[in-house]
Amino acid sequence: MKKIILVDGNNLLFRSYYATAYSGNFMKNSKGFPTNALFGFHNMLTKIINEENPEYMIVAFDKGKTFRHEEYQDYKGGRIETPDELKKQFPIARKLVTLLGYTYYEIDNYEADDIIGTFAAYCDQDDEVIGTIVSSDKDLLQLISDDVDMKLLKQKDSIRYNKETFFEDYGIMPERVVDLKALEGDPSDNIPGVKGIGEKTALKLLRKYGTLDGIYEHIDEIKGSVHDKLVQDKEHAYQSYHLATIVKNVDMEISIEDTKCRERDHENLEKLYEELEFYSFLKKEKEYQKKEPEKVENVPIVQSIDEIQVEGDCAVYLELLGTNYHNSEILGMAVYDGTHLQFIPKEILVQAPKFLLENEKCTYDAKKVYVALKWLGIEIDQITFDSMIAASLLDYNVKDDISYLANNFDYQIPFYETIYGKTKLKAPKLEEVALYAGQKAKFIYETKEQLIQKLKEEEVYQLYQEIEHPLAFVLGDMEFQGVHLNQETLKEMGEEIKEKVKKLEKEIYDLAGCEFLITSPKELGTILFEKLGLPHGKKGARGYSTAADVLEKLKDVHPIIPKILDYRMITKLYTTYIEGLLNVVKEDGKIHTIYTQTLTRTGRLSSMEPNLQNIPVRTEYGRLIRKAFVPSEHCVILGGDYSQIELRILAHMSGVQALIDAFHQGMDIHTKTASDIFHVAKEDVTKQMRRVAKAVNFGIIYGISSFGLSENLNISVGEAKHFIDHYLETYPGIQEYMDQQIKKAYQDGYVQTLFHRKRVITELKNSNYMIRHQGERMALNTPIQGTSADIIKKAMVDIGKELKLRNLKTKMILQVHDELLFDCAEDEIETVKALIQEKMEHVIQLKVPLKVDIAYGKSWYEAK
């Protein structure tokens, strides 16, 4: 998952300038050049960088007048002319952003808001990208979505809003900020709004009628002076709506990848600080430079296997051209033993020097080294320490590129893309590769003991040794083993889906009365809201919104809507899981995913390239895709799936006897909860009652709010609150447990799983209530979800050891959250079933029994 930070550069500079311009603290250097805005801008930007730790970041600036000025001559007319002292500082701010290693962007005819809006749209459209907006401009709140949140800057602090927290604060959805601006106006931009209507009245109207259109559709219901003001200023309201709408489709010559963070330019930063006379920044930059460990100037490249010198423990770093180590070219390996630093090219490495099996080794991403060498037919043993996993447990910023971690220790190793490029990767001369890999091996060796000491201090060394480190090799074996894909099955399904798409297209065209491009939101919006006259929000710069949440609310209004939703679902299914999976099958007919142990803060494993944990199960076609996942010859796919593991962990941690008894009695916990909160006998529990109980059961684990539950169940917030309150009244021990968990998190600053995995929750220290509330939800969720992740990881380690110890033919091939899948030899089915049941159910002793459901068949589909 990529995260991009979207910074409103104009906003930061203006805030910085006016914070000091009239305070008697107007800064200039000795040459008379104004520096007040730059000083504040630098401080704010540094704070953003330190808090967000970005991998991708764009700083957006205005370039001049925009289309809004052309359409409305008085746009921003109330503002005083930008002072010359501030204008002079803008070019330097852009230069500063660049030297710090980040990207800025500006474009004719559009504002910084529109650039941010377009990047926010990228996040909404790409499942692999999320974004955070940073600004004090409330206009940008309209961009908040499932994939974009916003850090709204205040005078001394900030508020982080997502869809849920924004709704809790305002009572409207973020996209309705445009309607809010249309009503209350915005004096700073000279947007008129409706004269006499303030935020309080505007919010009251929007909470009742939904949108600006909804207000005017019910204008006769509105009485008194508010009615008169709305009628009198209707034209201004709609004009204001248009002006306040942020454009989300600016034609820009820049992509997400172009915003990837680079190394800072120390030399030119120092020169700039000297010119600006920012001596405090200059001092920090020089100290930063002084801290650098001794630089490696060159690394000898061994010419034959006899030249390799390794004495005792060593650090190794395997240099690859590419990040997917199933496919990437191995360039060689750097080795450092504290005395000898060498680089072994691939042609020497394939001769398998004996130190690969004999000497104890530390590395970064042991799984990558283990699997990549396996593809070369090389075995490596005695990897006893992995800096990447250790650093992740210690809450460092860990990525595929070791440079991010090394730079935390002031090693200043260049970023991967600096050496190999961004998209079309190309290896430089071998001497440069050797030097680059050698720097990494030296860093790993020199920081190993420091990391081990920190693991012990933080009391996570046992977690590292007993679970995370051995798990890397279990996962490596799973990845290398892969899972067979029946390509014919998938192709046949693809043809069937194509026919279904054609049929849906015809049905949609018939219902619409014409043909149009269904995938075009603009054309679809015109058909639905103009030709068919369905209820809609205000038409924006890109047309009407046809987002999923908009269409879901119209499912019962017109028969075309369910068809369109089906069309979207199966076309995405086709591209992502039919074409997508077929494109990544290797020559052995298998799919080889990559599991990562370091991505989530709860400890859950993630799967990527491709993501095999995300194959849909809620739709029939989604489930059928699993038919294409088949076993080896004379084998079956056998699955062991934990039953309601997180609820069992909640029962254990909370100590609520009613829940503990229910699990011991083997009751259906959702039916039990429904029976309790609806006060009916278990046999009288309906499907809807059980659905509500299930949502509340899981909602409690995730610290869900009334708003979140209302969205999940499609009920009112009031009804959702009633269900949650009733649940907590029924099981009072749950509320007591939650209160204690939150109290302890505030005291300690972190929470732990039953296996002592820590998650530091800095949000609890924030002065803003909404951010603290987010932290409280994390404090409730992490111990449960994290313990669940630890349990299945420990089970994987135990099962992996046992399979090897017994020399069984069965192989573990997939992990999907609470489920383990095996390529199980037919003559080992009963043995493996007993082994899995034993290891998964007895991995930890809880107050309630762990239960595992086991099934098998000739495909993943049959094994469910």
Side-chain angles (χ1 to χ4, degrees), residues 317-333 346 349-350 356 364-380 383 472-473 475-477 479-480 586 594:
Y317 190 86
L318 191 68
E319 195 68 29
L320 303 180
L321 188 62
T323 56
N324 186 329
Y325 47 78
H326 294 307
N327 309 314
S328 300
E329 178 189 354
I330 292 176
L331 302 176
M333 176 184 281
K346 178 183 173 183
L349 198 60
V350 293
L356 290 177
Y364 183 90
D365 197 350
K367 179 161 61 66
K368 176 186 79 172
V369 179
Y370 180 68
V371 176
L373 290 178
K374 267 182 174 287
W375 284 113
L376 268 187
I378 300 172
E379 292 294 326
I380 186 169
I383 297 179
F473 302 98
L475 293 171
D477 286 333
E479 293 176 7
F480 186 73
K586 284 180 73 73
I594 291 176

Side-chain angles (χ1 to χ4, degrees), residues 159-161 165 168-169 768-774:
I159 303 174
R160 188 182 288 271
Y161 279 119
T165 54
E168 288 176 2
D169 233 13
N768 179 264
Y769 165 76
M770 300 307 299
I771 298 173
R772 291 200 309 276
H773 188 53
Q774 287 179 349

Side-chain angles (χ1 to χ4, degrees), residues 22 56 129 144 146 190 205 234 249 270 278 284 287 339 342 353 386 471 477 514 574 615 636 673 683 782 788 829:
Y22 305 120
Y56 297 83
V129 183
I144 292 172
D146 290 331
N190 205 31
L205 290 167
K234 182 176 181 180
N249 61 345
E270 287 186 13
F278 288 171
K284 286 180 183 177
E287 287 174 355
T339 304
Q342 298 173 299
D386 186 337
L471 179 67
D477 286 333
C514 66
Y574 181 82
I615 295 174
V636 295
T673 300
E683 55 270 21
T782 298
S788 171
I829 290 174

